[in-house]
Amino acid sequence: LLVTKHPTQKDYWLQLVGIYNALAASTSNNQEQQRAYYARAVNAAESAQRLGFLNAPKDNFNLVSMYDQVGQFGKAIDLLYAGMKEGKIESTLKNWQVLAYFYEQIEQPDQAIKVLKEAEQNPAFASGGEVDRQIADLYYQLDNTREVYNYTKKAVAKGNHVKNAY
């Protein structure tokens, strides 16, 4: 990390997390070693946060991403949801979609639907129909034809003309 001023403790923590992430990325053919490096990156990031560093929304989301990389979707869910609710992670449509994806990964499509419906309460996310289309897709996986129809109809009415309108 090239810094024009004297490096701070935050810079050192950022470098340490970055090094472990880079090592993990470079060992993609050895999954056990890759997981070990990601685990070290997670430990370093959490240690930095306990010391008051790396607490920006981007840093918090990076921690969620590291938990995703090691397949710890439950922890990623907890951090992402709480982070968005508490303002520690940006509450964007993409982040709500990631949260729903994590629930899908742990085979909880009902929870994925629930968080997407919660996201839809935000007027900025509700108007385009994207959330309705995703909810319809989840209901399709659950073989709930009535709700697939209802949410697809909502999506199309909002201008989201899905490729496969069921």
Side-chain angles (χ1 to χ4, degrees), residues 47-117:
S47 294
Q49 287 185 338
R50 281 191 297 276
L51 293 170
F53 306 109
L54 306 184
N55 287 313
K58 179 181 175 184
D59 299 323
N60 291 322
F61 188 80
N62 286 340
L63 183 58
V64 168
S65 297
M66 286 185 272
Y67 274 110
D68 171 36
Q69 290 294 327
V70 294
Q72 296 295 315
F73 297 110
K75 184 68 174 177
I77 286 168
D78 293 343
L79 289 174
L80 183 54
Y81 185 76
M84 287 192 298
K85 295 304 263 182
E86 297 167 5
K88 293 180 180 180
I89 295 176
E90 290 183 72
S91 179
T92 64
L93 177 56
K94 181 179 178 185
N95 287 349
W96 284 97
Q97 291 168 324
V98 167
L99 182 60
Y101 168 77
F102 288 160
Y103 275 116
E104 287 182 76
Q105 293 306 300
I106 61 171
E107 298 179 16
Q108 292 186 10
D110 291 331
Q111 282 299 111
I113 291 168
K114 182 178 175 183
V115 297
L116 288 173
K117 286 181 178 181

Side-chain angles (χ1 to χ4, degrees), residues 95-151:
N95 287 349
W96 284 97
Q97 291 168 324
V98 167
L99 182 60
Y101 168 77
F102 288 160
Y103 275 116
E104 287 182 76
Q105 293 306 300
I106 61 171
E107 298 179 16
Q108 292 186 10
D110 291 331
Q111 282 299 111
I113 291 168
K114 182 178 175 183
V115 297
L116 288 173
K117 286 181 178 181
E118 185 174 342
E120 194 173 39
Q121 299 306 308
N122 182 330
F125 308 150
S127 62
E130 177 65 19
V131 175
D132 295 303
R133 186 201 54 78
Q134 286 183 283
I135 293 171
D137 287 344
L138 288 164
Y139 277 125
Y140 183 78
Q141 292 172 22
L142 294 172
D143 201 26
N144 185 334
T145 309
R146 180 176 305 278
E147 292 302 322
V148 170
Y149 175 76
N150 291 336
Y151 278 91

